[in-house]
Amino acid sequence: MTIAFGRRLLAGLAIVGLVFGCAGPSGSASPSDSSSASASAPGSSSPGGSSGPSDSGSPSASASASPSGPPTKLIVGLGYIPSVQFAQFYLAQQAGYYRQAGLDVTFQNKIDPDLVTLTAQGAVDVSISDGTSVIPAVSQGLPIRYVATIYGTFPNIVFAKAASGITSVADLKGTRLGTPGKYGSSWIMLQALLKSAGLSPADLSVVVYPDYGQEAALEQGAVDAATGFTNNEPVQLELHGFPATVLHVDQVVPLPGPGLVVGTKQLASKTAALRAFVAATLRAMEAIDADPTKGLDASVAAVPALGQDRDTQLAILQATVATWQSAYTRSHGLGAIDTDAWSRSIDELASLPGGLVPNPVSVDDLISQELLP
C-alpha cells in the first residue's frame, strides 16, 4: 500500500472520528446517504455476477426463525465511508441472516454526530457509537441507549515506531505528537492516557494534522508519536516496514468501545426486530472470527474498491476482529456490556476538562441489555 493511499484511508477515518464513526480504515468508495442494499434479498451480487458469501452455521433461535408476515424495515447507520470494518453487517446481509430474522435492512453512511442525533430522533433505528459519544449525548438529554458491544477493546490508540524508544505513556513527555484535532474520541483517549501518567497535552508538543496525515508524518519523522486506531495506522506502519509500538487506553481505564446504539422510542416500539438484528449481527461476527475471509469477501462484494488490495484489507480486518473481544466479552460472550467499565468511564469523562458530562448520568441511563441473547 502506498503512503498516498494510506492518507486517503486516514482522511476518511478521521472525518468519522471513530464511529464511529468509528470507522477506522476504509476503502476509496464515496459515502452515500442512500440505501447501499436491502437485506430482504437472499444475497447481493459481487462484481462479475458472483453471489455474496454465505454461511451454513446454525443461527441462534432468534436469528433463524422464519417469521410470517412482511419483514420489519430497519435503517442502520454505519460510519461515514463504507469500510471493511463493517464486514459483519455486510456478511449478515449477504448471507441472509437479516432476511431469515424477518428484517429488511437498509444501510446509511454518515458521520458520528449526525448518526447520534438521527438515532435519538428515530430517523435511524440502529447506529454505531462509543462511550465517549454516548455518555456526553445522554448527559445532554438525548434519548439513546447502548445495547450491544461491537468493539470489546477501545480502538483509539497512540502509536509510534518501535525504534523511537517510546514504550510507555510516561515516555510521551516532551515528544511531538500528531493528531487530526483536539476533539472527538481520540482526543478524549489521549487525555485519559496522559492523565494516568500525571501528564496532560501541555506536556507534549501537539501537532494538528487537519488533513489526517499524522501516520505519514510519523513515517517521515515529522512527529514522534500519533493518535490513531489500532486496526488502521499501526497496521499500515508495519506494512510499510516500520515495527510499531501501541499504547492502549484500556490499560488505564476501560472506555467502552463502539457498539450498537438505539433510540429509546425505537427500543420500545421495535424490541423484537432490534433483538433479532443484534443476534444476526453477532452471528456474523462469530462467522468472521472463525474465518476472516468471509468478512473480506462480503466487504469486497459491498465495496468493490476494497478488492484492489485484498492483502491490506485482510490485515485491517484481522486487526479489527482482534478488537471485538475483551476479557469481559470472552467470559460473557460477544456483545456483552461491561457495566463496571461504563461506570468507571462516566467518572473518567467527568474528570476531564471540557465539560464532557454537564449533567449527572448513571449506567442505567446509558445502556440496555434487553436485546442481548
Side-chain angles (χ1 to χ4, degrees):
M1 172 190 275
T2 65
I3 291 177
F5 185 63
R7 282 176 174 164
R8 290 199 295 273
L9 291 178
L10 289 170
L13 233 182
I15 292 174
V16 183
L18 185 68
V19 207
F20 211 140
C22 197
S26 67
S28 57
S30 355
S32 170
D33 290 343
S34 61
S35 158
S36 60
S38 168
S40 60
S44 62
S45 296
S46 60
S50 60
S51 61
S54 62
D55 177 30
S56 57
S58 300
S60 65
S62 59
S64 62
S66 298
S68 58
T72 301
K73 295 181 181 296
L74 291 180
I75 297 175
V76 178
L78 303 178
Y80 184 64
I81 292 180
S83 162
V84 73
Q85 286 190 103
F86 305 124
Q88 65 269 54
F89 302 100
Y90 301 145
L91 178 62
Q93 183 183 68
Q94 294 168 24
Y97 299 172
Y98 293 144
R99 175 180 54 82
Q100 294 165 18
L103 304 174
D104 179 358
V105 171
T106 296
F107 297 141
Q108 287 190 0
N109 292 94
K110 292 181 178 291
I111 59 174
D112 178 55
D114 288 347
L115 286 177
V116 169
T117 300
L118 291 170
T119 303
Q121 295 170 344
V124 167
D125 295 297
V126 190
S127 61
I128 305 177
S129 195
D130 66 25
T132 67
S133 292
V134 172
I135 293 171
V138 173
S139 177
Q140 294 173 42
L142 290 184
I144 57 174
R145 295 291 183 273
Y146 184 104
V147 297
T149 300
I150 297 296
Y151 283 65
T153 302
F154 198 73
N156 300 67
I157 48 87
V158 169
F159 69 102
K161 293 178 183 176
S164 69
I166 295 172
T167 60
S168 69
V169 178
D171 293 333
L172 293 174
K173 184 174 182 179
T175 62
R176 300 163 299 168
L177 182 137
T179 188
K182 300 178 181 182
Y183 59 84
S185 297
S186 287
W187 186 246
I188 293 171
M189 172 278 302
L190 177 63
Q191 292 179 85
L193 197 63
L194 293 173
K195 179 185 169 188
S196 71
L199 302 175
S200 76
D203 294 304
L204 286 66
S205 176
V206 177
V207 183
V208 175
Y209 288 89
D211 61 347
Y212 313 108
Q214 71 269 23
E215 190 269 343
L218 188 143
E219 286 194 23
Q220 296 163 4
V223 294
D224 306 302
T227 62
F229 298 91
T230 191
N231 53 339
N232 185 15
E233 289 89 345
V235 177
Q236 295 184 46
L237 190 64
E238 298 214 339
L239 287 173
H240 298 161
F242 301 100
T245 294
V246 178
L247 303 178
H248 292 271
V249 73
D250 298 72
Q251 299 162 353
V252 178
V253 58
L255 295 178
L260 300 180
V261 176
V262 304
T264 54
K265 288 185 179 178
Q266 304 303 88
L267 183 59
S269 64
K270 293 186 175 182
T271 307
L274 291 170
R275 184 177 292 117
F277 176 83
V278 170
T281 303
L282 295 178
R283 178 188 174 192
M285 291 173 68
E286 291 172 351
I288 295 171
D289 186 36
D291 183 1
T293 60
K294 288 183 177 179
L296 178 61
D297 289 343
S299 298
V300 171
V303 190
L306 299 179
Q308 295 172 5
D309 190 346
R310 288 179 62 92
D311 289 344
T312 296
Q313 295 303 321
L314 180 59
I316 291 171
L317 177 58
Q318 289 172 325
T320 299
V321 171
T323 68
W324 291 349
Q325 292 281 19
S326 64
Y328 188 86
T329 60
R330 279 189 287 271
S331 297
H332 297 80
L334 280 173
I337 301 172
D338 186 347
T339 56
D340 179 63
W342 277 86
S343 179
R344 291 169 61 189
S345 293
I346 294 171
D347 294 339
E348 183 68 25
L349 264 64
S351 74
L352 296 176
L356 296 172
V357 189
N359 300 298
V361 291
S362 69
V363 174
D364 288 341
D365 297 325
L366 302 168
I367 72 167
S368 171
Q369 302 190 69
E370 65 181 290
L371 303 183
L372 292 172

